[in-house]
Amino acid sequence: MAGRILLLVLFMNAVFSIVNAVPETCPADLGGKCGEDGEWEGEFFPGVPKIKYEGPSSKNPLSYKWYNAEEVILGKKMKDWLRFSVAFWHTFRGTGADPFGAPTKSWPWEDGTNSIAMAKRRMRANFEFLNKLGVDRWCFHDRDIAPDGKTLKETNSNLDEVVALAKELQGDKIRPLWGTAQLFMHPRYMHGAATSSELGVYAYAAAQVKKAMEVTHYLGGENYVFWGGREGYQTLLNTDMERELDHMAKFLEAAAAYKKKIGFNGTLLIEPKPQEPTKHQYDWDAATTLNFLRKYGLLGEFKLNIECNHATLSGHSCHHDLETARINGMLGNIDANTGDPQVGWDTDQFLTDVGEATMVMISVIRNGGLAPGGFNFDAKLRRESIDVEDLFIAHISGMDTLARGLRNAAKLIEDGSLAELVSKRYSSFDTELGAEIEAGKADFEMLEKKAMEWGEPKVASAKQELAEMIFQSAL
């Protein structure tokens, strides 16, 4: 979830709003879009129709070329393999600001405030967007959808008011893929949340997660995510790493206990991230996070939410971290995005590489799907893309890319050539001795005897180029 709503971004947005003295009701230049009560009237996206599947030959940018929701692939509908979700923070709170520049985006319905009225307007825009896109899931941070109050009680009241509207707008067909608490932006979390050196911050973070979990449950959310944006350190010289890790484990234990207490049946997810904003974050990658869960006896309580851009920042491919989570039975959800190899930070771009999407979908198919998880578009428009239409184009492109990846992965599986190549490579273990090794029944004395008997072993080609040829032929 990184690169999302960084403190600098929202700070610059606030400054931008103050400097330009934006009114607190409706924007001044809407051409009659606001009613007498200051509420938005009509559609938020009047020039955009409901997005439909038109096939690969379509030249219409506001149509699906590869994503056909009801089409059956390998015995399951595309919509059930992919379970797409829109990220509220990037889509409706993204401003285009970056560490070197002020905001570039101001959607027509924005009035420059972070008021309750504005929060409700954004929520209405969110559901119109979901309906036109044909997506029935969304994700949120608590502070993205409702503003802070002067006290925690007031903040919770603000959240309740906006969530009540969201519940009404959802109806029976839409629900959150997951919710989470934003424990990284506010200055109180400068040293972390669950790993903060300050007891008061630890308690405040617990209260915030408690409330966020409650509203996620109330909205029918299918999962709840923990992203330790500042759970890490800048230097070990002033850090008791063991104590911080112990505290984080106790925090997660308490969260799992509270989930059961309130009857929330959703999956608890941890999202690995190597660095940025901290120098080193404790949930560095899938393997590191799995080791943490094993050490503290939490494997049965959590699964992983793998973000592709985070995997590459940790030095892996997205496919690697997905497979690491999958073979451990811990793949729960995917944040579908990518980074730029020429840029050294979390750029949260929409995934448009068909080859990468195909490898991602190979893992998903091997996993039997992601439900109750799915694909969340934790991705944002580029700073220079400022038209409302761009929000749709970006999501359509990302959805089509993953749908195309699903089709390609199915083609590879049905063809069987790649699986046959892999099986043949390990065929020497498909013997009596191989079976004994894999069953843990072959000791070193037995293996030494065989080595003496057989002499120098023959080593076969790995056929890497053939594997890549087979893979590319499916794209």
Side-chain angles (χ1 to χ4, degrees):
M1 285 177 282
R4 320 174 163 152
I5 332 179
L6 295 174
L7 175 61
L8 174 63
V9 175
L10 290 186
F11 173 75
M12 293 177 75
N13 191 27
V15 171
F16 179 81
S17 301
I18 294 169
V19 169
N20 287 277
V22 184
E24 292 191 5
T25 53
C26 251
D29 57 350
L30 292 177
K33 290 279 182 109
C34 285
E36 292 182 2
D37 60 356
E39 188 47 75
W40 186 271
E41 292 184 344
E43 295 183 70
F44 290 88
F45 309 98
V48 179
K50 188 172 179 63
I51 310 302
K52 298 180 180 179
Y53 172 73
E54 294 184 4
S57 62
S58 175
K59 302 297 182 183
N60 176 13
L62 295 178
S63 71
Y64 296 120
K65 287 78 177 173
W66 299 95
Y67 176 59
N68 185 10
E70 299 296 325
E71 183 179 346
V72 176
I73 303 287
L74 296 179
K76 191 181 297 187
K77 292 181 179 180
M78 293 189 83
K79 67 179 183 180
D80 295 324
W81 278 117
L82 297 166
R83 292 169 60 84
F84 288 130
S85 172
V86 170
F88 190 94
W89 53 95
H90 282 321
T91 306
F92 294 98
R93 301 307 306 273
T95 65
D98 64 22
F100 308 100
T104 59
K105 306 180 205 307
S106 181
W107 304 128
W109 55 83
E110 289 286 336
D111 65 13
T113 71
N114 196 26
S115 64
I116 289 289
M118 188 64 247
K120 289 182 176 180
R121 191 181 305 156
R122 290 189 196 104
M123 192 59 69
R124 292 183 186 280
N126 174 54
F127 282 97
E128 183 180 321
F129 184 78
L130 290 169
N131 282 309
K132 288 193 170 183
L133 200 61
V135 170
D136 55 10
R137 290 173 178 84
W138 62 296
C139 294
F140 66 92
H141 299 77
D142 50 1
R143 299 298 179 262
D144 303 322
I145 62 173
D148 265 317
K150 295 178 180 178
T151 64
L152 180 58
K153 183 177 181 180
E154 184 179 319
T155 298
N156 287 345
S157 178
N158 291 345
L159 185 58
D160 285 338
E161 189 171 345
V162 176
V163 165
L165 175 63
K167 180 79 168 179
E168 175 188 334
L169 296 172
Q170 278 188 169
D172 297 327
K173 295 182 179 180
I174 299 175
R175 64 174 61 191
L177 179 63
W178 51 256
T180 188
Q182 190 193 79
L183 303 178
F184 53 91
M185 189 193 78
H186 197 282
R188 76 173 69 91
Y189 296 124
M190 70 173 74
H191 304 309
T195 60
S196 177
S197 52
E198 299 296 329
L199 176 61
V201 173
Y202 186 99
Y204 198 103
Q208 193 173 332
V209 169
K210 174 182 178 291
K211 184 62 177 179
M213 195 178 293
E214 289 168 355
V215 300
T216 301
H217 180 36
Y218 173 72
L219 290 170
E222 298 177 277
N223 306 270
Y224 184 89
V225 168
F226 292 86
W227 178 62
R230 296 189 187 275
E231 310 293 23
Y233 62 80
Q234 302 294 358
T235 175
L236 284 174
L237 293 174
N238 65 356
T239 301
D240 186 337
M241 184 165 67
E242 183 178 17
R243 199 171 190 185
E244 290 195 0
L245 287 168
D246 287 348
H247 289 174
M248 186 162 71
K250 294 302 181 185
F251 192 96
L252 294 174
E253 285 176 11
Y258 191 66
K259 165 197 161 177
K260 295 169 186 173
K261 183 174 183 179
I262 63 175
F264 177 44
N265 294 320
T267 304
L268 299 182
L269 301 166
I270 296 181
E271 182 174 324
K273 171 81 184 286
Q275 62 222 355
E276 187 207 65
T278 62
K279 178 180 179 179
H280 180 97
Q281 287 174 215
Y282 294 134
D283 49 4
W284 182 273
D285 60 5
T288 305
T289 307
L290 288 169
N291 183 61
F292 169 85
L293 292 172
R294 281 194 180 97
K295 176 183 177 181
Y296 290 102
L298 293 168
L299 279 177
E301 304 290 354
F302 294 84
K303 288 191 174 183
L304 301 189
N305 178 45
I306 302 298
E307 178 171 319
C308 288
N309 201 173
H310 291 180
T312 52
L313 286 173
S314 70
H316 306 305
S317 66
C318 184
H319 194 203
H320 170 89
D321 260 21
L322 291 174
E323 285 295 278
T324 300
R326 183 189 69 80
I327 64 178
N328 283 278
M330 295 290 284
L331 177 55
N333 195 80
I334 298 174
D335 270 9
N337 63 16
T338 190
D340 190 319
Q342 293 179 294
V343 179
W345 64 74
D346 193 7
T347 53
D348 285 333
Q349 296 171 235
F350 280 84
L351 176 59
T352 57
D353 184 322
V354 176
E356 184 176 6
T358 302
M359 288 188 283
V360 166
M361 292 312 304
I362 287 173
S363 289
V364 172
I365 292 172
R366 287 173 176 169
N367 199 59
L370 293 172
F375 282 94
N376 172 49
F377 284 109
D378 184 12
K380 58 189 175 187
L381 295 179
R382 297 304 87 198
R383 175 176 165 79
E384 301 81 8
S385 299
I386 60 174
D387 293 340
V388 168
E389 179 189 60
D390 295 332
L391 290 171
F392 284 90
I393 292 172
H395 282 82
I396 291 167
S397 177
M399 292 167 72
D400 269 344
T401 299
L402 283 163
R404 196 170 178 181
L406 172 61
R407 293 175 185 274
N408 292 343
K411 193 188 305 181
L412 284 166
I413 290 169
E414 290 172 333
D415 173 73
S417 297
L418 191 59
E420 183 181 353
L421 183 151
V422 174
S423 179
K424 186 176 180 180
R425 187 179 178 206
Y426 295 92
S427 61
S428 66
F429 282 88
D430 299 330
T431 59
E432 183 178 348
L433 180 57
E436 289 183 350
I437 291 171
E438 292 179 347
K441 297 178 180 179
D443 59 27
F444 273 12
E445 287 85 359
M446 177 191 294
L447 294 171
E448 180 190 42
K449 182 179 178 180
K450 288 295 183 181
M452 292 286 191
E453 178 185 334
W454 292 339
E456 185 65 28
K458 295 179 180 179
V459 181
S461 170
K463 296 291 184 184
Q464 179 176 332
E465 291 76 15
L466 178 57
E468 290 169 345
M469 179 186 289
I470 293 169
F471 179 81
Q472 290 295 329
S473 70
L475 304 187

